[in-house]
Amino acid sequence: MQHRPSSASAPKHADPLQRLLLSDAFDGEACIKEPMARHTSYRIGGPADYYVRADSPSSVRDIVTTCAEEDVPWVIVGRGTNLLVSDEGFRGVILTLGRDFKRMACDWGEGRITAGAAVMLSALVQEAMRQELTGLEFAVGTPGSVGGAVRMNAGSRDEWMGSVISSIVTISARRGIERIPAADIAWGYRTTDIPSDAIIAECEVSMKASDPFFIRGRMEANLARRKKSQPLGLPSCGSVFKNPEGASAAKMIQEAGLKGTRIGGAQVSDVHGNFIVNTGGARAEDVRALMELVRSEVQRAYGITLQPEVRLLGF
């Protein structure tokens, strides 16, 4: 990993983005030509021009504003659990959130937990259980960060993040820092209408008090079901495709006879048809080609075009 040099060694002709990242005043850390395979659950991905951890709201604003002014592509990522980065990597800035976004506070009397976007979703679920608050049991065992879970409205058609969120805070170059009531957000199945240029900084979750034995029982049942039905022993991105309305992507893939199908090191899981796993040494192009094969076969068999749930970056 190639970290930023000190500001004293900054190139004489550094552009504004380089000067920002090389400045001693920048609150964070930047790496150049950082392999994204180190930062995705797939363990796949080529180098990003810049991989930047921003530790405060001011550093986030500085980065996105500079990128906008200099026309430099940027994306925000969490724990990389729903991400497939191309073998060529990403030409621009990959931004992740650090210190100030890892904080969590609970107001038990109001049934409210405030969590930074970089908090692990599993930590939020466990805190809700400790505080005897119900509403997040469906998310037990779900990897990734709170910010990513909010952005994609993680969950199922019956239970989802948006159902327990009361508000979110976002940061953007155009609008600065905003608090947005959950009622002003369109929450859909694995989707929201949160603007793509708005970085989720934190969310406020409101839940109801409940019997701790009830909460624990639901969590244990959900976790047992997840362990039984998902290939947790191999690198993956979770569900590759969204479930079509009234149908199951996994069931259609299985009935099309695609379980176990391989391209290179990528394989449609023998355990769950909607998981493509890295059996070892898989390239991003292997996964992408296998996704296209699955889509074409399901389209041929059912007349339905599966829509990716995994986020593709750098293709």
Side-chain angles (χ1 to χ4, degrees):
M1 182 163 54
Q2 201 171 0
H3 292 275
R4 61 182 174 135
S6 67
S7 58
S9 60
K12 292 182 179 179
H13 303 293
D15 61 39
L17 177 61
Q18 291 170 337
R19 287 198 295 271
L20 169 66
L21 297 178
L22 293 172
S23 168
D24 292 333
F26 177 68
D27 191 10
E29 187 66 56
C31 306
I32 59 174
K33 299 301 180 185
E34 174 71 356
M36 287 305 296
R38 297 174 178 172
H39 303 284
T40 67
S41 59
Y42 251 137
R43 303 295 182 259
I44 294 172
D49 286 348
Y50 298 96
Y51 181 83
V52 181
R53 187 194 73 237
D55 286 330
S56 64
S58 62
S59 60
V60 171
R61 285 199 308 270
D62 289 343
I63 291 170
V64 297
T65 299
T66 302
C67 285
E69 291 172 349
E70 298 300 309
D71 199 25
V72 176
W74 66 270
V75 294
I76 179 77
V77 302
R79 303 292 294 183
T81 56
N82 191 43
L83 190 64
L84 178 65
V85 181
S86 78
D87 300 309
E88 289 71 35
F90 182 73
R91 303 285 73 79
V93 173
I94 289 185
L95 178 62
T96 190
L97 303 180
R99 186 193 62 233
D100 289 359
F101 305 95
K102 293 183 177 181
R103 297 169 179 168
M104 188 161 48
C106 181
D107 183 342
W108 187 88
E110 297 294 328
R112 182 169 61 236
I113 299 176
T114 300
V119 170
M120 294 293 293
L121 182 58
S122 59
L124 176 59
V125 172
Q126 291 299 319
E127 181 64 18
M129 182 182 72
R130 281 192 292 271
Q131 299 296 334
E132 301 180 5
L133 297 171
T134 185
L136 277 171
E137 296 88 343
F138 71 89
V140 66
T142 301
S145 65
V146 167
V150 173
R151 168 71 68 179
M152 69 172 292
N153 194 22
S156 66
R157 294 192 186 278
D158 301 315
E159 298 179 285
W160 58 90
M161 288 297 297
S163 63
V164 295
I165 290 174
S166 54
S167 69
I168 67 171
V169 173
T170 64
I171 304 172
S172 70
R174 288 187 296 139
R175 296 175 299 276
I177 297 177
E178 289 185 302
R179 180 171 293 277
I180 305 173
D184 293 346
I185 299 170
W187 304 93
Y189 170 61
R190 304 291 173 90
T191 185
T192 69
D193 68 347
I194 300 170
S196 60
D197 67 337
I199 294 171
I200 297 168
E202 71 174 32
C203 72
E204 191 176 77
V205 179
S206 297
M207 293 171 286
K208 296 180 180 178
S210 184
D211 186 314
F213 293 101
F214 167 79
I215 296 171
R216 182 177 292 276
R218 287 197 68 199
M219 288 177 62
E220 290 177 349
N222 288 338
L223 191 58
R225 183 167 60 251
R226 185 181 297 273
K227 288 180 177 179
K228 182 178 180 180
S229 64
Q230 297 181 3
L232 303 180
L234 289 171
S236 78
C237 68
S239 295
V240 175
F241 300 104
K242 298 178 182 180
N243 286 324
E245 184 69 37
S248 164
K251 184 178 180 181
M252 288 190 292
I253 293 168
Q254 176 178 338
E255 290 177 348
L258 294 166
K259 271 190 172 183
T261 302
R262 296 179 65 125
I263 293 179
Q267 180 184 38
V268 178
S269 170
D270 288 321
V271 179
H272 192 298
N274 200 15
F275 277 58
I276 292 177
V277 296
N278 180 357
T279 63
R283 300 169 64 251
E285 196 50 47
D286 296 337
V287 178
R288 180 76 179 274
L290 192 52
M291 288 176 62
E292 290 304 316
L293 174 62
V294 168
R295 290 184 78 192
S296 65
E297 289 299 306
V298 169
Q299 171 68 36
R300 184 179 61 82
Y302 295 94
I304 294 175
T305 301
L306 295 176
Q307 298 302 315
E309 182 171 316
V310 59
R311 185 181 179 190
L312 302 176
L313 188 62
F315 289 92

